[in-house]
Amino acid sequence: MDIRLGNGFDVHRFGAGDHVVLCGVEIPHDRGLQGHSDADVGMHALTDAIYGALAQGDIGRHFPPSEARWKGAASDIFLRHASDLAGQMGFALSNADVTLICEFPKIGPHAPAMRARLAGIMGLEISRVSVKATTSERLGFTGRGEGIAAIATATLVSA
Ligand SMILES: Nc1ccn([C@@H]2O[C@H](COP(=O)(O)O)[C@@H](O)[C@H]2O)c(=O)n1
Ligand SMILES: C[C@@]1(CO)OP(=O)(O)OP(=O)(O)OC[C@H]1O
């Protein structure tokens, strides 16, 4: 059996707005996240984790920020593409784990909805999808509330 592990990391900065989209869930907030797409930092990190496990480059290679068609795109497009690519290459997703790093918004109340959303896109049981959060103890750019960071891992097994 071929087992692949991939990791992903992403950051988006805060700007004007009244909500953020994290792991596919819209959360009311006093600012928004800036990006070429919907700036879903958690979904981007997870998408990169799957591309990493497949050694298929990164999200910017598949969805170049220079292409206008991805402006404002919902990030489920990216995650679905990475999941489909895994299937085409003979792999099945086994589990995924995302950590969101920010002081605010608080993620805990939204984590069940995030897990369900990610699991639905990847075709996984919710028990195989984890979403966690941590502050950075008010240190660094996440601690100052300048943006949100996310790290993710994904495990794939040969189908
Ligand atoms: N944006 C966040 C950050 C943290 N949490 C929850 O709080 C716990 C404690 O965070 P520390 O950084 O002080 O360790 C953390 O384990 C999460 O459960 C959160 O929901 N949203
Ligand atoms: C997702 C893409 C799509 O154009 O744009 P952004 O929303 O800026 O997000 P990023 O994490 O910087 O990845 C690059 C791009 O692929």
Side-chain angles (χ1 to χ4, degrees):
M1 182 187 290
D2 191 356
I3 300 174
R4 303 287 187 92
L5 176 68
N7 73 80
F9 174 76
D10 195 25
V11 171
H12 281 271
R13 68 170 63 237
F14 279 119
D18 60 8
H19 70 275
V20 294
V21 180
L22 295 171
C23 296
V25 174
E26 190 172 308
I27 302 173
H29 196 51
D30 56 357
R31 287 172 295 167
L33 288 173
Q34 296 181 339
H36 185 59
S37 67
D38 65 4
D40 188 334
V41 62
M43 209 170 305
H44 294 180
L46 180 52
T47 300
D48 259 355
I50 297 171
Y51 288 139
L54 297 169
Q56 288 296 311
D58 54 38
I59 193 169
R61 184 181 123 192
H62 296 277
F63 300 96
S66 53
E67 291 185 9
R69 62 187 164 139
W70 308 123
K71 178 128 191 73
S75 294
D76 60 303
I77 295 170
F78 314 139
L79 183 58
R80 203 164 270 119
H81 177 269
S83 302
D84 289 349
L85 185 59
Q88 290 158 20
M89 292 180 66
F91 288 92
L93 281 154
S94 179
N95 82 297
D97 185 16
V98 179
T99 300
L100 297 167
I101 306 164
C102 56
E103 306 295 321
F104 298 103
K106 290 303 176 193
I107 303 302
H110 305 283
M114 292 176 178
R115 294 175 64 206
R117 181 84 176 106
L118 296 177
I121 295 167
M122 295 186 291
L124 275 179
E125 293 172 15
I126 193 167
S127 62
R128 292 178 177 272
V129 180
S130 160
V131 175
K132 318 192 298 298
T134 186
T135 69
S136 52
E137 298 290 342
R138 299 188 189 171
L139 296 171
F141 70 87
T142 51
R144 290 189 296 271
E146 295 168 3
I148 298 181
I151 57 176
T153 55
T155 309
L156 280 56
V157 294
S158 51

